[in-house]
């Protein structure tokens, strides 16, 4: 999923959850290869394509990659070459859903917080933020500066850990005692 939130003074002011994330990007690549080349590839191969040559905005130098799959007509193994431009085209629909979620959240943000967004920008986190030039595309689409956290893949887990470290009452609430749930013991 893509989670978008405007946070002020420790509270979510405006937010939206869109059921589009890395898996949907991979699925879009699988669908594109099936439609355009009549080749079926697995989701692991599609993810490798996304990671190696995927982008949300044109690259200075477009990339190419060889992809192995199964020819849907003959049933035999087949190799095709795909470009980063084609991958970007394949990713366009899910990217538009993500952009729409960000724009919608910004539009629902109270005007008094818009200055903060202009000053501080948007912070990207999570594995999806690693897509090449997603920050450039979002900045162009929203007019707001975009920043990617240092370690986007593990930042959510580390943040949850910090929250739990300082919140013993929260830990107590989450702790399950064996005698409370005997069927799961």
């Amino acid at each position: 999923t893509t989670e978008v939130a405007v946070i002020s003074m420790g509270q979510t002011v405006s937010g939206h959850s869109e059921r589009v994330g890395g898996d949907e990007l991979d699925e879009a690549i699988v669908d594109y290869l099936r439609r355009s080349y009549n080749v079926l590839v697995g989701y692991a191969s599609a993810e490798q394509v996304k990671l190696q040559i995927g982008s949300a905005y044109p690259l200075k130098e477009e990339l190419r990659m060889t992809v192995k799959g199964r020819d849907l007509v003959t049933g035999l193994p087949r190799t095709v070459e795909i470009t980063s431009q084609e991958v970007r085209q394949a990713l366009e629909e899910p990217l538009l859903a993500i952009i729409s979620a960000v724009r919608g959240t910004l539009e629902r943000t109270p005007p008094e917080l818009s200055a903060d967004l202009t000053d501080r920008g948007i912070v990207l986190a999570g594995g999806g933020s690693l897509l090449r030039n997603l920050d450039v595309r979002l900045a162009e689409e929203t007019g707001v500066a975009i920043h990617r956290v240092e370690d986007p893949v593990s930042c959510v887990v580390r943040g949850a850990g910090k929250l739990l470290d300082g919140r013993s009452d929260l830990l107590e609430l989450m702790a399950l005692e064996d005698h409370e749930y005997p069927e799961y013991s």
Side-chain angles (χ1 to χ4, degrees):
T1 61
T2 297
E3 303 291 335
V4 183
V6 174
I7 300 170
S8 178
M9 299 175 66
Q11 303 251 339
T12 301
V13 177
S14 178
H16 181 74
S17 181
E18 188 67 37
R19 294 190 56 85
V20 175
D23 289 346
E24 284 72 23
L25 296 174
D26 297 343
E27 191 172 318
I29 293 169
V30 169
D31 290 345
Y32 179 84
L33 288 167
R34 186 176 60 243
R35 282 190 324 271
S36 299
Y37 290 97
N38 238 9
V39 170
L40 182 62
V41 299
Y43 290 104
S45 295
E47 183 176 27
Q48 285 306 306
V49 169
K50 176 183 70 180
L51 294 172
Q52 289 183 26
I53 68 170
S55 70
Y57 193 82
L59 303 170
K60 288 180 183 175
E61 187 175 322
E62 296 296 338
L63 305 170
R64 296 181 169 280
M65 180 179 178
T66 300
V67 183
K68 296 175 183 177
R70 180 168 41 95
D71 189 299
L72 289 170
V73 175
T74 66
L76 299 173
R78 182 168 160 211
T79 302
V80 296
E81 187 175 73
I82 187 169
T83 67
S84 53
Q85 186 174 9
E86 289 177 284
V87 176
R88 195 168 41 258
Q89 179 184 341
L91 299 177
E92 187 63 13
E93 187 176 325
L95 285 173
L96 287 175
I98 292 169
I99 291 165
S100 177
V102 172
R103 291 181 79 146
T105 301
L106 293 175
E107 289 167 1
R108 289 186 303 278
T109 300
E112 56 272 11
L113 297 179
S114 293
D116 288 345
L117 283 167
T118 302
D119 293 344
R120 295 191 176 137
I122 295 171
V123 178
L124 296 180
S129 71
L130 294 173
L131 181 66
R132 273 184 199 83
N133 288 344
L134 179 60
D135 53 345
V136 175
R137 175 87 182 262
L138 283 171
E140 182 177 279
E141 296 279 349
T142 63
V144 178
I146 307 292
H147 312 282
R148 185 179 296 118
V149 297
E150 190 174 314
D151 184 7
V153 175
S154 66
C155 72
V156 174
V157 172
R158 287 185 291 117
K162 286 181 180 182
L163 173 71
L164 293 175
D165 261 354
R167 299 294 310 243
S168 61
D169 55 334
L170 185 58
L171 285 171
E172 288 173 21
L173 270 175
M174 294 175 64
L176 298 178
E177 307 245 354
D178 287 342
H179 67 276
E180 291 177 292
Y181 300 96
E183 66 272 17
Y184 297 110
S185 299

